[in-house]
Amino acid sequence: MEEKEISKAVIKRLPRYYRYLGELMESGVERISSNELSSKMKVTASQIRQDLNNFGGFGQQGYGYNVKHLYTEIGKILGLDKNHNVIIVGAGNLGQAIANYGAFEKRGFIIKGIFDVNPRLQGVTVRGIEIRMIDELEQFIKDNNVQIAALTIPKTKAAEMAELLVKYGVKAIWNFAHTDLNLPDDILIENVHLSESLMRLSYNITRYEKERLNENDN
Amino acid sequence: MEEKEISKAVIKRLPRYYRYLGELMESGVERISSNELSSKMKVTASQIRQDLNNFGGFGQQGYGYNVKHLYTEIGKILGLDKNHNVIIVGAGNLGQAIANYGAFEKRGFIIKGIFDVNPRLQGVTVRGIEIRMIDELEQFIKDNNVQIAALTIPKTKAAEMAELLVKYGVKAIWNFAHTDLNLPDDILIENVHLSESLMRLSYNITRYEKERLNENDN
DNA sequence: AATCTATTGTTATTATTCTAACAATTTATA
DNA sequence: TATAAATTGTTAGAATAATAACAATAGATT
Ligand SMILES: NC(=O)c1ccc[n+]([C@@H]2O[C@H](COP(=O)([O-])OP(=O)(O)OC[C@H]3O[C@@H](n4cnc5c(N)ncnc54)[C@H](O)[C@@H]3O)[C@@H](O)[C@H]2O)c1
Ligand SMILES: NC(=O)c1ccc[n+]([C@@H]2O[C@H](COP(=O)([O-])OP(=O)(O)OC[C@H]3O[C@@H](n4cnc5c(N)ncnc54)[C@H](O)[C@@H]3O)[C@@H](O)[C@H]2O)c1
């Protein structure tokens, strides 16, 4: 029985559905139609139905979707029904900000440890989690079944560290360093390139200013 | 003279071209063909040529692209040749991490001020930048020609604060709160939804594990 | 129980994005 | 200076994604 390949675009939208359904659930809404959801989320109802249908018929004709059920199902699809063990590599500004953010744990992302090379950070704790030195990394990953490593170290060190993490058994890297990691195909990479995001904003500001100038010319 | 609309997909790739060209420039490479760049960046040469051609013919047949020139031109397209005044609203974990990150200034994103509601933070400085209280916000935005606000406050306050920022004259919001902002069409929004990024990783981990199980069944 | 209404699942159509192909043009070589 | 090689800009074609349409079906109404 072969699974139909789900397009990347659909996956990208799933967390947003999940968020909206969670909010609806919290405010006590029991059922919702693709049309109502459409106007809330500002996407077409057609797209909602098609997206959801990739994973099976969660709705009922004439009724709509049961909010709680749909929320749970999307959660399962996203793998949020299971815990994921996470380490943070690089206990600098960003690494500590992430470590301090409690909400990830609620979604099943358990921050097991934080690592750094700076000996002055050894033993310091962030939200009760101890910062450890790199020499403990290998053993720790194996002992704690670490799946995900958040990589928050300078870009010059990132590629090398990523390879080490993979060697030690990490399966997925959440990469904040401004560089592309070249790792085996079975290693999952999710890049968070904040400066690219800021550049897109800058592009749009620039374009918008240009447009306004052109309009004034007419 | 009408400008051809550039597709979102192209804009999303521009910062990555910019990064690669910057690195090539630093390592002294003077010219590059779409084919060479293609193998470095792992995208098709065809796409590179088509992307760049949206903005004009930067290359030369038989020669390729001049790295420095192309880098400069893409910088201009992205609006990186001008400074942008930025404030950070929310001096918590994330807000301070961003404020502490010096590299944005090098690209022309000047962090002018940091704001919070917590009186205990008043006067504290981050990388020399003073944390101010919200009552100074309006005047500060006007005095400093602030274009971009990084929004790093809890999601329950984000929508309200975003409206305030717009009212005071901010043109673009870099939104880290986990919520969609509904603002006038001429206000630019760039969302950084970290938990969505983490959920995508979780989805892929889950799917990959499933695939391996299926393979073993055969 | 029959009919009407709402709303999905699914197929068809349209739009967007990506890749391939190649003529035009420049540089390098003989 | 003529010819060959390299490589772009651009057009054509293929693939992917989004929207629209509608038949099928469940629930509500009479
Ligand atoms: N802070 C931001 O807003 C921001 C924005 C965009 C990108 N980034 C990127 O995120 C990464 C982290 O940024 P930051 O601001 O937290 O930097 P930072 O300098 O505050 O922290 C980096 C930490 O990594 C540690 N480190 C260095 N090499 C290491 C190694 N081999 N193993 C383990 N730890 C190591 C350092 O000791 C330091 O504590 C950088 O690549 C940066 O470019 C950060
Ligand atoms: N830290 C992370 O890793 C992370 C990850 C994902 C999302 N986020 C989101 O980013 C935002 C900030 O996260 P954080 O970890 O920095 O939170 P935080 O609690 O550390 O900081 C929030 C700051 O905002 C201030 N604040 C509250 N209301 C304000 C207002 N009306 N005006 C100005 N300041 C106000 C608070 O005093 C506090 O200093 C939140 O929306 C959070 O959900 C953070």
Side-chain angles (χ1 to χ4, degrees):
Chain A
M1 185 188 138
E2 72 192 77
E3 307 262 322
K4 175 176 41 176
E5 187 68 28
I6 311 289
S7 93
K8 262 192 184 173
V10 174
I11 304 312
K12 239 185 141 179
R13 286 191 290 268
L14 277 188
R16 188 152 177 268
Y17 290 127
Y18 189 72
R19 172 155 54 87
Y20 272 85
L21 289 164
E23 282 168 10
L24 285 167
M25 208 173 62
E26 269 174 29
S27 49
V29 177
E30 282 192 9
R31 71 183 216 185
I32 194 157
S33 71
S34 57
N35 243 300
E36 285 173 89
L37 196 54
S38 158
S39 56
K40 276 190 202 301
M41 294 185 64
K42 311 245 175 81
V43 296
T44 64
S46 194
Q47 183 167 68
I48 292 175
R49 292 202 297 275
Q50 217 176 36
D51 280 357
L52 298 178
N53 226 235
N54 279 294
F55 304 99
F58 296 129
Q60 259 182 304
Q61 280 104 331
Y63 174 91
Y65 298 87
N66 177 293
V67 172
K68 196 166 184 174
H69 178 239
L70 189 52
Y71 177 80
T72 311
E73 289 303 316
I74 295 181
K76 280 188 209 162
I77 293 163
L78 288 170
L80 305 177
D81 55 334
K82 303 198 191 69
N83 281 348
H84 298 277
N85 295 328
V86 180
I87 56 171
I88 293 170
V89 180
N93 291 301
L94 214 44
Q96 293 206 26
I98 292 167
N100 259 315
Y101 188 64
F104 290 139
E105 315 257 332
K106 277 192 276 178
R107 291 279 141 77
F109 299 99
I110 315 296
I111 299 172
K112 288 285 186 175
I114 310 173
F115 290 84
D116 206 293
V117 284
N118 184 348
R120 299 170 89 180
L121 291 168
Q122 180 152 31
V124 174
T125 64
V126 181
R127 209 167 47 85
I129 308 157
E130 192 187 332
I131 299 177
R132 295 160 197 273
M133 295 295 103
I134 294 295
D135 57 4
E136 292 185 55
L137 193 56
E138 180 166 15
Q139 198 58 48
F140 191 92
I141 289 172
K142 283 168 185 164
D143 290 349
N144 290 277
N145 184 30
V146 172
Q147 293 180 88
I148 302 174
L151 196 55
T152 49
I153 64 177
K155 73 170 175 193
T156 48
K157 309 285 169 55
E160 183 191 1
M161 177 52 75
E163 280 174 30
L164 207 60
L165 288 163
V166 168
K167 194 175 133 200
Y168 294 162
V170 163
K171 289 288 166 228
I173 294 191
W174 197 24
N175 176 40
F176 289 78
H178 228 207
T179 189
D180 293 325
L181 304 173
N182 278 306
L183 299 170
D185 279 350
D186 61 337
I187 304 300
L188 302 164
I189 301 171
E190 173 80 21
N191 291 309
V192 181
H193 288 166
L194 292 180
S195 29
E196 296 192 0
S197 159
L198 200 45
M199 286 183 200
R200 279 193 289 278
L201 205 48
S202 165
Y203 169 85
N204 285 320
I205 292 172
T206 311
R207 191 193 51 164
Y208 182 71
E209 278 170 1
K210 226 158 118 192
E211 261 172 33
R212 280 204 316 187
L213 278 176
N214 284 347
E215 271 166 30
N216 293 347
D217 286 351
N218 298 350
Chain B
M1 184 188 136
E2 72 191 80
E3 305 262 322
K4 177 175 44 180
E5 187 68 29
I6 311 291
S7 93
K8 264 192 182 173
V10 174
I11 304 310
K12 239 186 139 177
R13 285 191 289 269
L14 277 189
R16 187 152 178 268
Y17 290 127
Y18 189 72
R19 171 155 55 88
Y20 273 85
L21 289 164
E23 282 168 9
L24 285 167
M25 208 174 63
E26 269 173 30
S27 49
V29 177
E30 283 192 8
R31 72 183 215 184
I32 194 155
S33 71
S34 57
N35 243 301
E36 284 172 273
L37 195 54
S38 159
S39 56
K40 274 190 205 300
M41 294 185 64
K42 311 249 175 79
V43 295
T44 63
S46 194
Q47 184 166 70
I48 293 174
R49 292 202 296 277
Q50 219 176 35
D51 281 357
L52 298 178
N53 226 235
N54 278 294
F55 304 98
F58 297 128
Q60 257 181 307
Q61 280 106 329
Y63 174 90
Y65 299 87
N66 177 293
V67 171
K68 197 166 185 175
H69 178 239
L70 189 52
Y71 177 80
T72 312
E73 289 301 316
I74 295 181
K76 279 189 210 160
I77 293 163
L78 288 170
L80 305 176
D81 55 335
K82 303 199 192 70
N83 280 350
H84 297 278
N85 295 329
V86 181
I87 56 171
I88 294 171
V89 179
N93 291 301
L94 214 44
Q96 294 206 27
I98 292 167
N100 259 315
Y101 188 64
F104 290 137
E105 316 257 334
K106 275 191 277 179
R107 292 279 141 76
F109 300 98
I110 315 295
I111 299 173
K112 288 284 185 174
I114 311 174
F115 290 85
D116 207 292
V117 285
N118 184 348
R120 300 169 88 179
L121 291 169
Q122 180 152 32
V124 174
T125 63
V126 181
R127 211 168 45 87
I129 308 158
E130 191 186 331
I131 299 177
R132 294 160 199 272
M133 295 295 101
I134 294 295
D135 56 3
E136 293 185 52
L137 193 56
E138 180 167 14
Q139 198 58 48
F140 192 92
I141 289 173
K142 283 166 187 168
D143 290 349
N144 291 277
N145 184 28
V146 172
Q147 294 181 89
I148 302 175
L151 196 55
T152 50
I153 64 176
K155 73 169 174 194
T156 48
K157 310 285 169 58
E160 184 192 0
M161 177 51 75
E163 280 173 31
L164 207 60
L165 288 163
V166 168
K167 193 174 133 202
Y168 294 163
V170 162
K171 288 289 165 226
I173 294 191
W174 198 23
N175 176 40
F176 289 79
H178 230 204
T179 190
D180 293 327
L181 305 174
N182 278 305
L183 299 171
D185 280 351
D186 62 337
I187 304 301
L188 302 164
I189 301 171
E190 174 80 22
N191 290 309
V192 181
H193 289 166
L194 293 179
S195 27
E196 296 193 359
S197 159
L198 200 44
M199 287 184 200
R200 280 194 287 277
L201 204 49
S202 166
Y203 170 86
N204 285 319
I205 292 172
T206 310
R207 190 192 52 164
Y208 181 71
E209 278 171 0
K210 225 156 120 192
E211 261 172 35
R212 280 205 317 187
L213 278 174
N214 285 348
E215 272 167 29
N216 292 347
D217 286 351
N218 298 348

